Amino acid sequence: MNILYDILGVPFGYVMRFIYNLVQNYGVAIILFTLFSKLLLFPINYKTQKSSAKMQKLNPKLKALRKKYEKEPQKLQEAQMALYQEEGVNPGASCLPMFLQFFLLFGILAVVYKPLTHVLGYSGDVIDNVVNLVKDQFPEIASKFKAGDLREELYVMEAFKENSSLFNVAGFDNSVVKNFLDNFTFLGIDLGKTPNIKDFSNIGLWCIPFISGILQLAMTFYTQIVNKKKNPDQPNMGCMNIMLYGMPIFSIWFAFNVPAGVGFYWACSSLVSFLIQIGLNNYFTPARVDKICEKDNAKNRAKYANGKKSFSQRMMEAQNQAAAAAGINSSRDADTESMSKKERTEYESQRIKEARKRMAEKYGEDYSDDE
């Protein structure tokens, strides 16, 4: 998993290094880097929100189809696919954007967790040497190290502040690191320090985890209220709600166990995400969604006017062909509706045998009803 952080962290690292060299303050650089990352992800967020808005518009029609074909799941699936095709909606359109967004987060977090690599540009060998030094010379800090932990560089910085004179490592410029740590602040808050819930000496440092958690919780509340308003029939998600509301609380605890720079990034990211979510929800009004659907439908009709089939149509045809090859109709024959359960089972069993026999004849194989 760490290889994803290493690979994706490189391009984001160049961006963060450029921003830091421009502003010479790590806190301000995190804010600008957050804005950059959210700007990069905005097209994905827009597409996801657009797909969600179009799906919500179809909810009444989907609900009517579910009621109409309540006892005929195959017909329901076919009717839903036909509706998606007619309205130009891809029910899985939000999956890829969400995956890409999750994928890019590896690179963003790598930059936040590894400032010596991605901001100061130290090589892996130099980082390994200073990590080994910290493990040998700083037993209290060394106890925090765990296999695969991304926070090693933050622990190194913590040790450097404690006693920089011990850092006699080739390629590791103490004056550069000291200057970086002097600028590793925001409004006087040392972002290299780890907040302590029992220590009120620096109220700003102490508040960062709570600000981060509260912003995440506020976004969760807002999203739930908006979704409930748009989908009043949406069932209670039960255990999912516990996770949605529990994660922000967990993040508060976690932010008290990592340097404040990480919690500060989470707070900035949550705030910008919250504002973007509010903006997109206000943008996708019912009237605007109607216009978007009308425009997309026109494109969709032109795209498939020559008989070209959509992905959902091809999938449905492949499914029907597979069912036909197995001797099972996509919907029951009208004659079977009056059969008893036993008679229907025998009928379908006979159809399967006939299909197997046809397949055996097609491929020149022997077939017996006793098989």
Side-chain angles (χ1 to χ4, degrees), residues 55-346:
M55 284 295 295
Q56 287 169 358
K57 180 177 171 60
L58 289 185
N59 277 339
K61 294 181 179 180
L62 290 171
K63 185 178 179 181
L65 289 177
R66 284 193 289 268
K67 185 176 181 181
K68 181 178 180 180
Y69 299 111
E70 184 177 0
K71 297 181 180 180
E72 299 175 283
Q74 187 65 34
K75 283 188 176 181
L76 172 61
Q77 187 179 15
E78 292 175 357
Q80 286 177 332
M81 287 296 183
L83 179 62
Y84 293 146
Q85 171 69 20
E86 180 184 348
E87 298 291 338
V89 174
N90 182 358
S94 62
C95 296
L96 180 59
M98 290 178 66
F99 172 77
L100 289 174
Q101 185 172 3
F102 175 76
F103 194 67
L104 290 175
L105 283 177
F106 283 99
I108 295 169
L109 290 177
V111 172
V112 177
Y113 279 115
K114 298 183 176 184
L116 296 179
T117 296
H118 297 298
V119 179
L120 297 186
Y122 284 116
S123 67
D125 291 337
V126 173
I127 297 298
D128 289 340
N129 290 336
V130 292
V131 167
N132 291 331
L133 183 148
V134 172
K135 289 180 178 179
D136 291 338
Q137 302 293 332
F138 300 86
E140 185 176 341
I141 296 176
S143 64
K144 300 179 181 180
F145 285 86
K146 296 179 182 178
D149 195 339
L150 293 173
R151 294 169 287 175
E152 287 185 344
E153 295 184 19
L154 296 173
Y155 297 145
V156 167
M157 291 167 59
E158 186 179 339
F160 185 89
K161 292 178 68 174
E162 191 174 299
N163 191 347
S164 61
S165 62
L166 296 177
F167 283 77
N168 297 315
V169 177
F172 193 77
D173 192 330
N174 288 18
S175 61
V176 171
V177 176
K178 185 178 183 305
N179 181 66
F180 178 64
L181 288 174
D182 289 341
N183 296 312
F184 206 77
T185 62
F186 181 73
L187 299 179
I189 302 171
D190 187 348
L191 299 178
K193 286 187 176 180
T194 299
N196 187 333
I197 197 168
K198 298 179 182 179
D199 183 9
F200 298 93
S201 59
N202 189 327
I203 194 65
L205 182 69
W206 188 84
C207 284
I208 284 178
F210 287 102
I211 293 173
S212 173
I214 290 171
L215 285 171
Q216 292 178 50
L217 193 61
M219 185 171 177
T220 299
F221 274 119
Y222 172 77
T223 303
Q224 291 292 85
I225 291 171
V226 170
N227 288 342
K228 196 66 178 178
K229 184 178 179 181
K230 292 181 178 179
N231 301 298
D233 297 329
Q234 179 179 340
N236 186 13
M237 292 189 293
C239 294
M240 183 62 72
N241 280 334
I242 296 176
M243 187 177 74
L244 286 173
Y245 294 112
M247 284 303 293
I249 298 173
F250 172 78
S251 71
I252 294 175
W253 171 84
F254 192 75
F256 272 107
N257 292 276
V258 294
V262 178
F264 183 68
Y265 167 74
W266 287 345
C268 294
S269 179
S270 298
L271 177 60
V272 177
S273 295
F274 194 7
L275 295 175
I276 290 174
Q277 191 68 40
I278 292 174
L280 287 175
N281 282 331
N282 289 329
Y283 177 79
F284 286 107
T285 61
R288 183 169 278 115
V289 172
D290 287 341
K291 290 182 179 179
I292 290 173
C293 289
E294 184 178 344
K295 184 178 178 180
D296 287 353
N297 287 348
K299 288 183 179 179
N300 193 56
R301 285 191 294 270
K303 183 177 180 180
Y304 299 111
N306 59 353
K308 182 180 177 181
K309 296 176 181 178
S310 68
F311 176 76
S312 59
Q313 282 181 313
R314 294 196 300 271
M315 287 293 293
M316 180 58 67
E317 287 185 0
Q319 183 176 342
N320 289 338
Q321 289 172 3
I328 302 174
N329 293 328
S330 60
S331 59
R332 283 199 187 122
D333 296 332
D335 293 340
T336 64
E337 296 298 329
S338 60
M339 292 181 180
S340 65
K341 183 177 180 180
K342 181 179 178 181
E343 290 172 335
R344 190 179 298 117
T345 301
E346 291 176 350

Side-chain angles (χ1 to χ4, degrees), residues 1-14:
M1 186 67 74
N2 283 357
I3 192 172
L4 288 175
Y5 291 101
D6 295 335
I7 294 173
L8 295 173
V10 172
F12 286 103
Y14 283 120

